[in-house]
């Protein structure tokens, strides 16, 4: 397909929903501004619900979505799941969820049991920390190398849960080790392996890192969160990024995620999808459908947006 892009059904495999009245998201409180790879994120300190997502995605043939945990109060990790489950029951959004759990916590067994009991939860995310700069690699490891955390990680398979990994690309060698040691658990690399800038030396290091982790068959990747503070959303800059992900993983292990409302700091939903369709228009129709729909459908098995809410 080379006519400007895919026009089939779309599954958004990575978005957020939040209501801020109960102040359960510490980083979104009015008086808080934490370090963020996108810089000042004050503009997203507002409610973002189903109506907002569907309004942003109007006309994009969105048929199902997957919500990502948004760092809800870690003392009540199941609370967000319950709240979103109530929303999903009436709208079909989200059709599946990635929930929160601290895999090194004392209550990890109870939390995973509770999360897995939700009919919508497919995976767990916990950002593993570790070296926050390339210069710090070698001076410490992420949680992926900690025995207690790994013991919690081993429990994911018992519940049929995937693991959502968000970490800068220079930590992906630990993810490759984790995937090898736990082949029964699928790792979903968030945000394309978090490429923080587009300098050539950065890109070359990132490509080597994602290529290595892509060698493990139990790893897939999201084409999501590809903005940078310096470049925002730029289809020209991101063309090489997207085509690299497809090249090293194969289209059937790549999936679209909007990361809205966060990436809405830089672009509209329509402009993002138009850019992705343009970039991926050189692929076959089957490959494009994999990225925009089939991979996410296979990995998350999301229920569909209720007909009356379809965009």
């Amino acid at each position: 397909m080379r006519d400007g892009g895919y026009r089939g059904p779309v599954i958004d495999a990575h978005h957020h929903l939040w209501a801020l009245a109960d102040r359960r998201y510490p980083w979104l409180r009015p008086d808080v501004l934490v370090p963020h790879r996108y810089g000042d994120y004050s503009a997203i300190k507002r409610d973002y619900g189903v109506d907002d997502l569907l309004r942003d995605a109007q006309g994009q043939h969105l048929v199902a979505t997957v919500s990502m945990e948004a760092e809800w109060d870690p003392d009540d990790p199941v609370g967000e799941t319950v709240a979103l489950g109530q929303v999903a029951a009436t709208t079909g959004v989200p059709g599946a969820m990635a929930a929160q759990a601290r895999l090194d916590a004392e209550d990890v067994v109870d939390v995973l049991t509770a999360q897995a009991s939700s009919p919508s939860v497919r995976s767990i995310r916990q950002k593993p920390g570790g070296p926050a700069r390339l210069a710090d690699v070698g001076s410490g490891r992420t949680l992926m190398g900690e025995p207690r955390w790994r013991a919690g990680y081993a429990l994911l398979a018992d519940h049929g849960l995937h693991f959502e990994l968000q970490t800068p690309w220079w930590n992906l060698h630990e993810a490759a080790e984790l995937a090898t040691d736990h082949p029964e658990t699928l790792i979903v690399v968030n945000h394309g392996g978090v490429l923080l800038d587009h300098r050539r030396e950065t890109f070359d290091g990132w490509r080597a890192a994602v290529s290595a982790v892509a060698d493990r068959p139990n790893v897939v990747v999201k084409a999501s969160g590809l903005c940078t503070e310096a470049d925002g959303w730029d289809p020209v800059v991101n063309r090489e990024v997207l085509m690299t992900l497809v090249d090293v993983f194969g289209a059937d292990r790549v999936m679209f995620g909007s990361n809205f409302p966060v990436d809405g700091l830089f672009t509209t939903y329509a402009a993002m999808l138009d850019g992705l369709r343009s970039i991926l228009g050189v692929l076959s129709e089957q490959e494009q459908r994999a990225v925009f729909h089939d991979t996410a459908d296979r990995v998350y098995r999301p229920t569909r947006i209720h007909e009356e809410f379809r965009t």
Side-chain angles (χ1 to χ4, degrees):
M1 182 185 293
R2 298 175 183 270
D3 60 355
Y6 173 79
R7 295 296 167 184
V10 173
I11 294 176
D12 186 341
H14 191 115
H15 71 84
H16 302 285
L17 297 170
W18 52 59
L20 304 185
D22 55 8
R23 299 172 67 87
R24 300 305 296 270
Y25 297 95
W27 68 290
L28 292 172
R29 291 175 181 169
D31 57 339
V32 173
L33 197 65
V34 303
H36 194 282
R37 65 191 179 95
Y38 285 176
D40 186 347
Y41 60 89
S42 299
I44 61 172
K45 291 184 178 184
R46 55 180 175 81
D47 288 355
Y48 193 78
V50 173
D51 289 346
D52 300 295
L53 176 67
L54 297 184
R55 186 181 307 112
D56 284 339
Q58 183 70 39
Q60 301 305 314
H61 203 176
L62 188 67
V63 298
T65 81
V66 182
S67 69
M68 174 57 62
E69 66 88 19
E71 300 186 21
W72 173 285
D73 178 0
D75 290 332
D76 177 29
V78 183
E80 184 179 37
T81 302
V82 172
L84 291 180
Q86 294 169 348
V87 174
T90 57
T91 65
V93 179
M97 289 187 247
Q100 179 195 133
R102 290 173 293 173
L103 298 179
D104 54 349
E106 292 184 1
D107 62 349
V108 63
V109 172
D110 292 340
V111 170
L112 291 181
T113 299
Q115 297 288 31
S117 70
S118 167
S120 298
V121 171
R122 304 287 184 265
S123 57
I124 294 296
R125 183 170 79 164
Q126 180 185 13
K127 296 175 183 177
R133 301 180 305 155
L134 179 57
D136 296 332
V137 173
S139 63
R141 290 175 62 89
T142 73
L143 286 173
M144 290 184 281
E146 294 295 328
R148 178 167 175 166
W149 188 92
R150 277 177 160 252
Y153 183 91
L155 299 174
L156 295 175
D158 297 338
H159 295 286
L161 295 170
H162 313 320
F163 180 66
E164 305 278 340
L165 174 63
Q166 183 170 333
T167 192
W169 59 267
W170 52 78
N171 294 322
L172 290 179
H173 63 285
E174 292 191 43
E177 296 173 6
L178 190 67
T180 298
D181 293 344
H182 296 275
E184 70 284 359
T185 297
L186 183 72
I187 294 176
V188 184
V189 176
N190 290 186
H191 303 337
V194 190
L195 181 63
L196 296 174
D197 65 70
H198 296 105
R199 295 175 298 170
R200 175 47 56 181
E201 59 268 32
T202 303
F203 183 88
D204 290 345
W206 167 82
R207 182 183 175 105
V210 296
S211 297
V213 78
D215 283 344
R216 279 61 175 181
N218 56 321
V219 180
V220 298
V221 68
K222 290 181 183 176
S224 65
L226 300 182
C227 299
T228 65
E229 184 178 6
D231 297 319
W233 165 253
D234 186 336
V236 175
V237 170
N238 278 321
R239 181 177 301 277
E240 190 173 9
V241 176
L242 262 294
M243 296 312 294
T244 296
L245 292 177
V246 172
D247 180 44
V248 302
F249 280 94
D252 62 349
R253 291 199 287 152
V254 180
M255 66 189 98
F256 158 71
S258 72
N259 197 35
F260 262 57
V262 184
D263 279 29
L265 290 165
F266 299 106
T267 187
T268 66
Y269 205 102
M272 174 181 285
L273 272 171
D274 284 348
L276 291 171
R277 289 182 178 116
S278 176
I279 293 168
L280 299 176
V282 298
L283 302 179
S284 70
E285 184 172 1
Q286 181 179 355
E287 289 172 315
Q288 290 184 71
R289 185 180 171 100
V291 175
F292 287 110
H293 179 277
D294 291 355
T295 304
D297 199 34
R298 182 182 75 249
V299 170
Y300 291 107
R301 311 179 310 281
T303 58
R304 280 358 192 197
I305 299 170
H306 295 175
E307 192 64 37
E308 62 268 32
F309 293 97
R310 289 278 180 91
T311 58

